[in-house]
Amino acid sequence: MDFIPTYDNYRQLLSIVKDTGKLCDYREAESRSLFLVLRHDIEFSIERAMEMSRIETEMGVQSTYFVQVRNNAYNAFSMQNTAMLLDMHRRGHKIGLHYHIGASSESKTVAREIREQCQLLQKMLQIPIDRYSMHRPIPETKYYETELPGLLNAYGSKFFTFAELLDDKTALQVKYISDAKHQWNYGTPDPETLRNAPKVQLLVHPDFWSEKTPGQKENFQSLIREHTLTFIDTIDNECRHFSPYRQEFENTVSSFSGR
Ligand SMILES: [Zn+2]
């Protein structure tokens, strides 16, 4: 199965996921011998996450979206982004923390920051935050063993099998498939693989998927375009003296993306 991240292909992937009959939330998966959990880590764009969640709603699928609070690409607490996260939550998706390691990778600091950032998300969004996933996990943090009271770790042993060297043939209790680096890793989510593995965690990054820009470079271009247009809007809303330049900047960004 090639990695061609268009929304049509995502709909097909969701059909395969549903056909396994194993799709459930992490909380249910904790006590099941058969499960498939669907996870999304948001790296650059809450708009893209919102789009993906709409497709899932259309298809009757619910999943978890993990959001960062220390990210230079988006502010989870902007009015617009908060409204989108809450809309996703209202449609039955779960919101969790995508934890970005800070200045120290020392395990006590990591544990404290995860707790604080989950509390912060919970306070700002006014919804329960009971789970987190780690961004770019590094083995020194023992991320796969960390157990924090009341917080579900997406890389915890119930949902993820840690192996020093992981390839397609490593025997694992939980089959983990991810689309990191714009490709399928550790296997592909084809019907046979998803059906045969008793326990599956599937990680799909909304930032890579779009209506029609499946190529890696095209996708980066469209992400940069979307991000810049949002910024142009922000400046325009704040500064009256920006309006003479708006069209010119918009044209530059649009021609760059080649959409
Ligand atoms: Zn990440």
Side-chain angles (χ1 to χ4, degrees):
M1 183 188 257
D2 291 336
F3 185 69
I4 306 173
T6 62
Y7 287 151
D8 278 345
N9 286 344
Y10 190 60
R11 287 186 184 91
Q12 281 184 22
L13 175 58
L14 290 180
S15 297
I16 298 171
V17 163
K18 283 174 78 174
D19 285 349
T20 65
K22 291 184 291 204
L23 178 66
C24 64
D25 181 53
Y26 283 86
R27 285 288 173 203
E28 293 166 79
E30 282 185 300
S31 55
R32 288 196 185 179
S33 53
L34 299 176
F35 68 72
L36 189 160
V37 284
L38 179 56
R39 159 178 159 204
H40 305 293
D41 292 348
I42 309 175
E43 316 292 5
F44 304 118
S45 166
I46 293 181
E47 285 97 332
R48 291 281 182 105
M50 181 73 175
E51 281 304 306
M52 183 160 270
S53 78
R54 283 201 184 109
I55 294 168
E56 290 175 348
T57 300
E58 244 173 68
M59 302 271 302
V61 166
Q62 289 168 337
S63 62
T64 300
Y65 287 82
F66 291 94
V67 63
Q68 296 192 27
V69 297
R70 278 202 161 159
N71 178 310
N72 221 25
Y74 62 79
N75 170 10
F77 304 133
S78 75
M79 303 259 280
Q80 195 185 351
N81 285 339
T82 297
M84 286 193 278
L85 292 170
L86 290 178
D87 189 281
M88 289 153 73
H89 170 74
R90 272 192 295 275
R91 284 182 283 114
H93 299 289
K94 299 283 192 291
I95 306 297
L97 170 74
H98 191 39
Y99 172 70
H100 194 304
I101 297 173
S104 163
S105 58
E106 195 261 323
S107 61
K108 268 192 188 154
T109 309
V110 166
R112 178 178 51 77
E113 288 191 348
I114 291 171
R115 272 195 304 270
E116 286 172 354
Q117 292 182 19
C118 282
Q119 284 164 5
L120 181 66
L121 257 185
Q122 183 158 306
K123 250 190 193 161
M124 294 294 284
L125 300 180
Q126 294 279 302
I127 56 173
I129 302 294
D130 70 346
R131 61 195 64 193
Y132 70 95
S133 67
M134 195 175 267
H135 174 67
R136 296 198 173 183
I138 48 174
E140 300 92 278
T141 61
K142 300 260 192 234
Y143 62 89
Y144 47 90
E145 285 177 357
T146 310
E147 296 289 343
L148 300 172
L151 288 177
L152 187 153
N153 173 4
Y155 282 120
S157 57
K158 285 175 182 157
F159 314 110
F160 181 77
T161 310
F162 179 75
E164 289 288 349
L165 286 171
L166 194 59
D167 61 31
D168 289 5
K169 292 174 188 67
T170 315
L172 300 171
Q173 286 207 316
V174 181
K175 178 78 181 162
Y176 174 73
I177 300 175
S178 147
D179 68 348
K181 300 181 218 121
H182 211 96
Q183 62 186 31
W184 290 123
N185 303 277
Y186 321 117
T188 58
D190 55 85
E192 206 191 346
T193 305
L194 296 189
R195 213 176 28 239
N196 292 346
K199 299 179 175 184
V200 182
Q201 174 166 202
L202 178 58
L203 168 57
V204 176
H205 289 85
D207 298 285
F208 297 151
W209 295 72
S210 63
E211 196 65 56
K212 50 183 175 224
T213 51
Q216 190 164 241
K217 185 179 174 190
E218 295 168 281
N219 183 60
F220 284 130
Q221 283 175 324
S222 60
L223 268 178
I224 292 168
R225 176 180 182 270
E226 287 160 22
H227 192 277
T228 311
L229 288 176
T230 304
F231 188 47
I232 287 176
D233 259 344
T234 306
I235 300 179
D236 203 11
N237 287 335
E238 297 296 328
C239 305
R240 268 199 213 150
H241 55 286
F242 177 71
S243 62
Y245 316 112
R246 178 174 178 135
Q247 195 58 55
E248 182 192 335
F249 289 133
E250 266 187 8
N251 292 347
T252 309
V253 177
S254 301
S255 65
F256 163 67
S257 85
R259 227 192 202 181

